[in-house]
Amino acid sequence: MLLSWCPEKELFMPELNFADRLLAAVEAKKSPLVVGLDPSYAQLPAAITGQRSLNDESDTTVAVDAVTEFCNKVLKLVAPHVAAVKINSAFFEQYYWDGVEAFSNIVQEANAHGLIVINDAKRGDIGNTAERYATATLADPGFANLDELVGPDAVTVNPYMGADSVLPFVKTAGEFGKGIFVLVRTSNPGAAEIQDQVLQNGTPLYMHVGKLVEKWGESLIGQRGYSSVGAVVGATNPAQLAELRAALPKTILLVPGYGAQGGTAQDIARAFNADHSGAIVNASRSVIYAYKEAKYAELPWEKAIEQAAIAAKQELAAAAGM
Amino acid sequence: MLLSWCPEKELFMPELNFADRLLAAVEAKKSPLVVGLDPSYAQLPAAITGQRSLNDESDTTVAVDAVTEFCNKVLKLVAPHVAAVKINSAFFEQYYWDGVEAFSNIVQEANAHGLIVINDAKRGDIGNTAERYATATLADPGFANLDELVGPDAVTVNPYMGADSVLPFVKTAGEFGKGIFVLVRTSNPGAAEIQDQVLQNGTPLYMHVGKLVEKWGESLIGQRGYSSVGAVVGATNPAQLAELRAALPKTILLVPGYGAQGGTAQDIARAFNADHSGAIVNASRSVIYAYKEAKYAELPWEKAIEQAAIAAKQELAAAAGM
């Protein structure tokens, strides 16, 4: 995190707000692609799991070592082609404290590659608890024994509990020059039975939440006019994606559902504003497990991941009109 | 976890479903009280923090040791007076992997006292990720190096992403004889701006979600007629509490908001069915920090916690008509 002296506040402050940093990184790499790391031991290449003394998940250390080796290789492969990576916290939490430590190690590695890191943790709780989650999932660690470590650059947040569950994350984001992405319309089938419910005034719940997100983000607008408070809006319902894009002009959309979940590049095009910015698009399984796909079957596994990342980057940059 | 041989399935199965275990424990202790552990280093008694070589939170190990000592003492003090404890995951996650390991240690200690443990983690994500969260937050660890450990008995789940984000937790709960509590109407002020929104058919969102919870719980109904899929419904809005109690007859309510958040015993009475069961009531800060209250100021800190737990237990048992 770059800091500069702010004479008004008599504090070292983050030099750029998160939204500005993210947009600059997307433009520098000419890539709206975010690669999602959801590493599952059972899906890893034999070249990685085969070196282990156990060939199943019966020991956390073995699993965590393999997952870490895999993620570090993926980071190196995709770093030239993406601005950001999204790390799925659950896939590390499943290995208990060993997994949580590995998560932090991978954040450090991504940071060393100059990548922006989104912690996909989907936290949300009442005020005094949300402060603790913001510390755990977003802040740079403030403990003497961890003070060499950086935290992620952004975290995903669940809005079901309302403003007092989200604003502590906004506050921490502001203090550390970081960002959040609030769930608005997610890409999964079950989202419809909650988020698509229509309120008495005719507004669908996702739009009601989306407008709250735009409001919550007002305090963190950067020089480019976008807020560091973004929204998660899936690619699986293109009409909703277009509707939310138009209604939330200052909100950066983090778009899941491209690739393995079925969203096409044509669908994705609706996520971008006329200035060709305002969205980043996640692909997880379709990139990190590309070596399992028929079209990459002839390639070594690293090459398959690299090719899939390049193909996704090119398709998404074209969709954005970059 | 007690297991018994099920000849139909040719498996050892949990002997009692979670709802039955919980109701039996509430009756055995004559206490609907759940004590919530939200331990904050800065709030701990000087008798605990004063022994440490540091008197602030500058090192995770120091903070985690103090928090663990405190929680273990609280568990011993409240065990005779409560059926269950609710451990707030965020207060451990804030200490990174050391905190996550401490969380598990405290789960083991609570289990050794015969207490039912609710992991207040409020997780929720799409299907394949929800499976990982269910492993991390609810299952008994399945790794060779952790196989002496038990997981919590229940976990809180956020419903914003719909059925496919909740059902993996229901599945894991069923496999391990455990339970979940889904957020329906939370006790915090911000809950209103999402959960109280009224849908076009006149149903408030909290009731729409509540009815989904009752449906999701149908596969885990115990011998007493209650499901192992419960609902979180706050005490801070008594009319809503009564409305949800009536609408969800098979759902055990986990009621926060009593004590420090302002809900009274009279409000709480509405959480119980005519059989005097169907609800458990959480008190966190008003019990674990009782030594900070004027009325207990003369007592040693352990005695203050014990007295506060007994007073809350008696008030709640009376409210329930037990």
Side-chain angles (χ1 to χ4, degrees):
Chain A
M1 180 63 48
L2 292 173
L3 299 177
S4 60
W5 181 252
C6 172
E8 294 83 10
K9 300 195 179 178
E10 295 192 352
L11 282 174
F12 283 97
M13 300 289 287
E15 196 164 320
L16 276 180
N17 103 328
F18 171 75
D20 288 332
R21 282 200 288 136
L22 179 61
L23 295 175
V26 167
E27 284 163 17
K29 296 271 177 75
K30 296 193 193 331
S31 175
L33 174 65
V34 174
V35 166
L37 298 177
D38 303 11
S40 185
Y41 186 90
Q43 304 290 319
L44 301 187
I48 285 183
T49 54
Q51 299 164 20
R52 264 70 203 179
S53 56
L54 294 177
N55 62 358
D56 62 22
E57 291 187 86
S58 63
D59 186 291
T60 53
T61 310
V62 172
V64 163
D65 284 352
V67 162
T68 300
E69 181 182 337
F70 176 72
C71 287
N72 287 344
K73 290 207 171 177
V74 172
L75 289 172
K76 191 174 175 187
L77 292 165
V78 304
H81 311 297
V82 301
V85 291
K86 179 171 80 63
I87 312 182
N88 187 326
S89 186
F91 284 74
F92 294 86
E93 293 180 49
Q94 70 178 330
Y95 303 125
Y96 303 89
W97 43 97
D98 286 342
V100 174
E101 186 169 5
F103 179 92
S104 176
N105 290 338
I106 291 163
V107 172
Q108 309 316 307
E109 184 79 8
N111 188 265
H113 283 293
L115 293 164
I116 288 173
V117 177
I118 301 167
N119 178 3
D120 193 3
K122 297 190 174 69
R123 297 299 200 265
D125 208 317
I126 62 171
N128 75 326
T129 301
E131 288 171 15
R132 311 305 167 124
Y133 278 129
T135 295
T137 61
L138 183 60
D140 299 319
F143 295 98
N145 56 330
L146 304 177
D147 70 354
E148 303 286 303
L149 302 180
V150 295
D153 295 284
V155 64
T156 54
V157 175
N158 187 311
Y160 188 70
M161 296 178 74
D164 52 322
S165 69
V166 175
L167 293 177
F169 288 94
V170 176
K171 182 167 178 280
T172 297
E175 285 169 3
F176 288 87
K178 299 188 172 188
I180 71 172
F181 291 93
V182 183
L183 305 182
V184 170
R185 179 52 171 94
T186 57
S187 57
N188 60 314
E193 67 194 325
I194 310 278
Q195 299 160 24
D196 288 0
Q197 294 299 312
V198 178
L199 308 182
Q200 273 188 322
N201 64 3
T203 307
L205 182 64
Y206 63 77
M207 182 58 73
H208 175 74
V209 172
K211 288 184 175 172
L212 289 172
V213 171
E214 182 99 348
K215 188 179 77 176
W216 294 332
E218 279 169 6
S219 64
L220 295 182
I221 306 277
Q223 296 180 353
R224 296 279 300 268
Y226 286 102
S227 173
S228 298
V229 178
V232 176
V233 180
T236 47
N237 190 320
Q240 291 173 341
L241 181 57
E243 189 190 351
L244 285 159
R245 173 67 289 161
L248 313 177
K250 295 174 179 170
T251 300
I252 297 176
L253 305 184
L254 168 58
V255 184
Y258 166 72
Q261 290 183 57
T264 68
Q266 200 175 9
D267 300 334
I268 299 291
R270 302 172 181 228
F272 297 90
N273 276 320
D275 66 356
H276 314 296
S277 74
I280 52 176
V281 182
N282 183 71
S284 299
R285 286 166 277 173
S286 62
V287 172
I288 69 171
Y289 302 139
Y291 49 85
K292 293 178 173 284
E293 292 185 28
K295 65 178 165 180
Y296 298 122
E298 302 295 310
L299 298 177
W301 70 272
E302 295 102 322
K303 204 73 188 165
I305 291 173
E306 189 180 26
Q307 289 300 310
I310 292 171
K313 165 194 169 173
Q314 290 174 343
E315 187 173 60
L316 293 170
M322 292 177 77
Chain B
M1 182 61 50
L2 292 171
L3 299 177
S4 62
W5 181 251
C6 172
E8 293 84 12
K9 299 194 179 179
E10 295 193 350
L11 283 173
F12 282 98
M13 301 288 288
E15 195 164 320
L16 276 179
N17 103 327
F18 171 75
D20 288 334
R21 282 200 289 135
L22 179 62
L23 295 174
V26 168
E27 284 163 16
K29 297 272 178 74
K30 297 194 194 329
S31 176
L33 174 65
V34 175
V35 166
L37 297 177
D38 303 12
S40 185
Y41 185 91
Q43 306 289 319
L44 301 186
I48 285 183
T49 53
Q51 299 165 20
R52 264 71 204 179
S53 57
L54 293 177
N55 63 357
D56 61 21
E57 292 186 86
S58 62
D59 187 290
T60 53
T61 311
V62 172
V64 163
D65 284 351
V67 161
T68 301
E69 181 182 338
F70 176 72
C71 287
N72 287 345
K73 290 208 172 176
V74 172
L75 289 171
K76 191 174 176 188
L77 292 165
V78 305
H81 311 297
V82 301
V85 291
K86 178 171 80 64
I87 313 183
N88 187 326
S89 186
F91 284 74
F92 294 86
E93 292 180 51
Q94 70 179 329
Y95 302 124
Y96 302 88
W97 44 97
D98 286 341
V100 174
E101 186 168 5
F103 179 93
S104 177
N105 290 338
I106 290 163
V107 172
Q108 308 316 306
E109 184 79 8
N111 187 266
H113 284 292
L115 293 164
I116 288 172
V117 177
I118 301 167
N119 178 4
D120 194 3
K122 298 191 173 68
R123 296 299 200 266
D125 208 317
I126 61 171
N128 75 324
T129 300
E131 288 172 15
R132 311 306 167 125
Y133 277 129
T135 295
T137 62
L138 182 61
D140 299 319
F143 295 99
N145 55 331
L146 304 177
D147 70 354
E148 303 286 303
L149 302 180
V150 294
D153 295 284
V155 64
T156 54
V157 175
N158 187 310
Y160 188 70
M161 297 178 72
D164 52 324
S165 69
V166 175
L167 293 176
F169 288 94
V170 176
K171 182 166 179 282
T172 297
E175 285 168 3
F176 287 87
K178 299 188 173 188
I180 71 172
F181 291 94
V182 183
L183 305 183
V184 169
R185 178 52 171 94
T186 57
S187 58
N188 59 314
E193 66 194 326
I194 311 278
Q195 299 160 24
D196 288 359
Q197 294 298 312
V198 178
L199 308 182
Q200 273 188 322
N201 64 4
T203 306
L205 182 65
Y206 63 77
M207 183 59 73
H208 174 74
V209 173
K211 289 185 173 171
L212 288 172
V213 171
E214 182 100 347
K215 187 179 78 176
W216 293 331
E218 280 169 4
S219 64
L220 294 182
I221 305 277
Q223 295 180 353
R224 296 279 300 268
Y226 286 101
S227 173
S228 298
V229 178
V232 176
V233 181
T236 46
N237 189 321
Q240 291 173 340
L241 181 56
E243 188 190 352
L244 285 160
R245 173 66 290 161
L248 313 177
K250 295 175 179 168
T251 301
I252 297 176
L253 305 184
L254 168 59
V255 183
Y258 166 72
Q261 290 183 57
T264 68
Q266 200 175 8
D267 299 334
I268 299 291
R270 302 172 181 229
F272 297 90
N273 276 320
D275 65 356
H276 314 295
S277 72
I280 52 175
V281 182
N282 183 71
S284 298
R285 286 167 275 173
S286 63
V287 173
I288 69 170
Y289 302 140
Y291 49 85
K292 294 177 173 285
E293 291 186 28
K295 65 177 164 182
Y296 298 122
E298 302 295 311
L299 298 177
W301 70 272
E302 295 101 324
K303 204 73 189 167
I305 291 173
E306 189 179 26
Q307 289 299 311
I310 292 170
K313 165 194 168 172
Q314 290 174 343
E315 188 173 59
L316 293 171
M322 290 179 77

